[in-house]
Amino acid sequence: MFKRLLVGVDGSKSGWTSCHYAFEFASKLDIPVVGIHIVDERLIEESFLEDLAGVLGFTFYYGASSKVREFLEAQADELLHQFLSLGRQRGLKVSSFQTVGVPYKEIVSQADKEDIIFLGKRGKRPIEGFLLGSNADMVARRSPCAVFLSPQEERSIRKVCVAYDGRQMSKKAMSVAQYLKPLFGFELQAVYVGDDTLSEDISQKVDKYQHLKGFPEEKIVEYCKENNIDFLIMGAFSKGRFKEFFFGSVTSFVMHHLDIPMLLVK
């Protein structure tokens, strides 16, 4: 089902946690893992550094960008070296990739449909207040493949829930969960939120099934918290951009209100 795992290595706590999850998946699936670090090109633009100097009150000089680039590339080398060492200690097939660009664009460009991208939900920002926005959000929206989002704290995957609504995306999420279940040995649950009953019986596919009524995004978060779910699998942004613009996204709400690992299936 999956051929490769791509991991965003940025040095953040949630980023390292995502690495550990990727290593666990790689061990179970017996597939290679690629650590990716992108030096953000926006951080080495002269205009950005000049503005930053004005905000922080230090002297700016032209040509400073080359020194900043050297520092960031050396930092990337060290992070990827740590990543490779950790993977090799576990006997995994690991490699790395490093380049300069806009992080979310470069990560997405490296992905194939059969991959899983692993990212920390809270990436490391060199300067708080600059370059706002989440690479995790952008990758989750634009990726051609499934995206695993990791919180800061690692937890054992014992109870897994699939957010199910009968649509194609949720059927894909269910098939992924069923594929992973014998490999990890977890308890599989499913929750459906809607006024109507499903036209199919999915209770035979899971260990526990719950039908709730209300706002899907709120009920999914509530269910996962009340049932101590360790890992959520759901379709990613299945409403379409037009509906998301006016009504919001179930995926976005759940991403920002649950502090557990999530696998967003495309």
Side-chain angles (χ1 to χ4, degrees):
M1 179 174 284
F2 300 110
K3 294 183 178 179
R4 192 176 54 154
L5 307 178
L6 309 181
V7 188
V9 181
D10 65 359
S12 66
K13 186 173 182 179
S14 61
W16 283 121
T17 301
S18 75
C19 290
H20 290 297
Y21 278 120
F23 292 154
E24 183 68 16
F25 271 66
S27 177
K28 303 288 188 185
L29 301 174
D30 191 27
I31 56 177
V33 192
V34 183
I36 299 177
H37 184 92
I38 312 300
V39 174
D40 197 326
E41 64 182 15
R42 296 166 294 182
L43 292 175
I44 54 180
E45 291 178 354
E46 295 282 353
S47 58
F48 169 77
L49 294 174
E50 187 173 10
D51 290 342
L52 182 61
V55 171
L56 299 182
F58 62 83
T59 303
F60 169 80
Y61 63 92
Y62 287 99
S65 61
S66 61
K67 293 294 184 182
V68 173
R69 179 167 181 160
E70 284 180 21
F71 169 78
L72 293 176
E73 289 181 341
Q75 185 180 62
D77 289 341
E78 177 58 29
L79 289 172
L80 291 175
H81 174 73
Q82 292 181 45
F83 169 84
L84 293 171
S85 296
L86 289 171
R88 287 166 183 159
Q89 287 171 17
R90 299 184 62 160
L92 301 174
K93 294 172 281 189
V94 291
S95 60
S96 64
F97 173 79
Q98 176 185 337
T99 190
V100 177
V102 178
Y104 73 85
K105 291 182 180 180
E106 294 296 335
I107 292 172
V108 169
S109 72
Q110 295 299 314
D112 297 323
K113 289 183 178 180
E114 296 81 15
D115 296 335
I116 306 178
I117 296 175
F118 284 73
L119 294 174
K121 290 177 69 174
R122 297 179 183 178
K124 190 172 184 179
R125 293 177 183 169
I127 303 96
E128 195 66 36
F130 281 83
L131 308 179
L132 295 178
S134 167
N135 283 313
D137 282 350
M138 297 300 290
V139 170
R141 289 179 181 276
R142 299 181 179 218
S143 168
C145 65
V147 178
F148 184 106
L149 299 178
S150 170
Q152 292 192 19
E153 301 298 330
E154 188 174 0
R155 59 196 295 165
S156 299
I157 299 178
R158 293 168 296 190
K159 297 172 69 174
V160 174
C161 180
V162 176
Y164 196 85
D165 63 6
R167 299 179 185 179
Q168 191 59 38
M169 290 281 258
S170 66
K171 290 181 179 180
K172 179 69 178 298
M174 179 62 76
S175 67
V176 170
Q178 289 180 303
Y179 172 71
L180 296 176
K181 188 178 190 300
L183 299 176
F184 286 84
F186 51 68
E187 175 187 314
L188 179 57
Q189 303 183 21
V191 60
Y192 163 60
V193 184
D195 294 328
D196 301 322
T197 57
L198 288 171
S199 59
E200 57 186 311
D201 181 12
I202 65 166
S203 61
Q204 302 301 314
K205 298 180 179 181
V206 296
D207 299 305
K208 180 180 178 182
Y209 168 65
Q210 186 72 48
H211 177 190
L212 303 174
K213 294 184 179 182
F215 293 104
E217 58 271 39
E218 294 179 0
K219 290 299 180 180
I220 292 170
V221 170
E222 182 182 294
Y223 181 87
C224 289
K225 289 182 177 180
E226 290 181 352
N227 290 273
N228 296 313
I229 298 299
D230 300 307
F231 180 31
L232 176 66
I233 304 176
M234 65 185 297
F237 306 101
S238 58
K239 280 186 175 181
R241 292 184 180 180
F242 181 80
K243 288 185 178 180
E244 281 183 36
F245 180 79
F246 288 102
F247 303 111
S249 165
V250 171
T251 309
S252 290
F253 184 92
V254 174
M255 282 172 59
H256 291 97
H257 288 81
L258 268 185
D259 196 32
I260 62 174
M262 295 177 59
L263 183 63
L264 304 179
V265 176
K266 292 299 186 84

